[in-house]
Every structure is written in C-alpha cells, then in structure tokens.
C-alpha cells in the first residue's frame, strides 16, 4: 500500500477498499440530512443540520454520536465555497480543509480542495471531477484516483481506494451533494 492519504484522521485509512452508501433525508423538518452506511448496512456517519436555515452548516457525527467535522458554506461568493473544521469548531486553527467550485459558470460541479497549509489557491491538493451531469464523479490527489462516486435514485455509492481517509471522502461527497441541491434549487427558482 502507498502512503496513507489522511486528512481527517489516520484511523479512517484502511488497507482495503471501502464501499459506502450515502442516503439523503429530504424530510423538511428532519435534522438528519444524510446517513452513511458501510457495505454491510451498518451506520457509519450521520450528517445533521437545519434544512430550513439560510446558512448551510452541517455536522458529521460518527455512529456513537460524537462530532467529527463541521462543514460550513460561505454565502454570497462567486465560487461556492465551504470550510470544514474539526469537531464542532469554527476556529481557524481547527480548519481541516477548504473547497470551492473550480469555475464560475459551468454545467458540471467540479471542486478544488485545499489543505490548511495551502495558502495560495492556484494549485489544489485534491480535485473532484464530475461526469454525466454530476451523477458520477472521481476524486483525485494529483493525477491519482483516490475515490469514485455514482448516484442512483438519489443515493450515493462511493468506492474509497485503500489507504484513503474515508471520513474525508464522505465529507467531500456530502458537500458535493449539498452544492448540487443548491444549484438545482437556484435553477428552479430562476425558471431555468
């Protein structure tokens, strides 16, 4: 196995591929927005937030209910931007990664991901490239594929390669899903 790709925690890097399923919960008043299961159907993560809030704040919990990451969208930006923090923090010292859309106007939702030590946003640390109207995407570290996602009937199926932090990949795919829903809502409200 190559060197582990650890962003959230080395404990989320396994020596074998990890298959995950993200099931969104579109209930209007539900605080649980996404549930993440492993290949055996066991709950791995739960993502909670307020679906009625103007601010997109999401917290990812493990199966025991401990907070792992807080994901916050930056509103009123040319690029859609999110910052991800450890636990339930919002401190700059607890930033795990940042991401933004790759281009201002595009039909595909491609994302550039930056680790905290990457100050200049000219070269990303990771890249999410969408295919087939965002129903499939590939996650890259440089030119190496580290995970892949496909969507079927609103459920996301993810294959995380060996040695890659599956909590990190889960957070990326949850944000991708949230951004896609926001784009769809914006297109519907503008009459496109």
């Amino acid at each position: 196995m190559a060197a582990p790709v650890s962003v959230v925690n080395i404990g989320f890097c396994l020596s074998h591929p990890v298959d995950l399923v993200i099931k969104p919960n579109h209930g209007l008043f539900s605080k649980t927005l996404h549930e993440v299961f492993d290949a055996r159907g066991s709950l791995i993560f739960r993502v909670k937030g307020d679906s009625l809030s103007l601010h997109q704040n999401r917290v990812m919990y493990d199966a025991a209910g401990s907070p792992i990451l807080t994901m916050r969208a930056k509103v009123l930006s040319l690029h859609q931007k999110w910052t991800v923090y450890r636990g339930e923090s919002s401190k700059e010292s607890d930033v795990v990664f940042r991401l933004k859309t790759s281009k201002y106007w595009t039909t595909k939702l491609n994302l550039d991901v930056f680790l905290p030590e990457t100050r200049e946003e000219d070269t990303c640390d990771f890249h999410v490239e969408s295919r087939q109207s965002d129903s499939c995407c590939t996650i890259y570290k440089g030119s190496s594929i580290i995970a892949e996602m496909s969507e079927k009937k609103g459920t996301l199926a993810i294959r995380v390669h060996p040695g890659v932090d599956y909590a990190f990949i889960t957070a990326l795919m949850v944000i991708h899903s949230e951004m896609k829903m926001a784009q769809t809502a914006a297109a519907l409200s503008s009459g496109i």
Side-chain angles (χ1 to χ4, degrees), residues 106-111 127-140 144-152 156-159 161 173 176 180 183:
T106 181
T107 57
K108 293 186 180 182
L109 186 56
N110 296 328
L111 308 175
H127 180 71
V128 179
E129 187 172 312
S130 294
R131 307 180 314 269
Q132 302 172 8
S133 301
D134 300 330
S135 63
C136 298
C137 66
T138 305
I139 299 98
Y140 294 89
S144 300
I145 295 172
I146 61 171
E148 298 152 287
M149 181 277 293
S150 61
E151 181 180 0
K152 295 177 185 159
L156 307 179
I158 303 168
R159 162 68 51 112
H161 289 211
M173 294 299 90
H176 186 274
K180 185 177 168 186
Q183 280 185 337

Side-chain angles (χ1 to χ4, degrees), residues 112-118 123-127 140-142 168:
D112 291 333
V113 182
F114 305 92
L115 297 176
E117 53 273 8
T118 305
T123 304
C124 60
D125 297 293
F126 300 91
H127 180 71
Y140 294 89
K141 181 179 191 299
F168 167 61

Side-chain angles (χ1 to χ4, degrees), residues 78-132:
L78 285 175
H79 286 281
Q80 292 186 61
K81 294 182 177 185
W82 287 69
T83 302
V84 179
Y85 304 87
R86 290 200 186 285
E88 293 180 288
S89 178
S90 60
K91 296 179 185 174
E92 188 65 26
S93 60
D94 289 327
V95 170
V96 179
F97 65 91
R98 290 181 171 83
L99 64 83
K100 68 177 185 175
T101 51
S102 298
K103 297 185 179 179
Y104 295 113
W105 306 105
T106 181
T107 57
K108 293 186 180 182
L109 186 56
N110 296 328
L111 308 175
D112 291 333
V113 182
F114 305 92
L115 297 176
E117 53 273 8
T118 305
R119 296 287 177 210
E120 300 298 320
E121 292 186 353
D122 52 351
T123 304
C124 60
D125 297 293
F126 300 91
H127 180 71
V128 179
E129 187 172 312
S130 294
R131 307 180 314 269
Q132 302 172 8

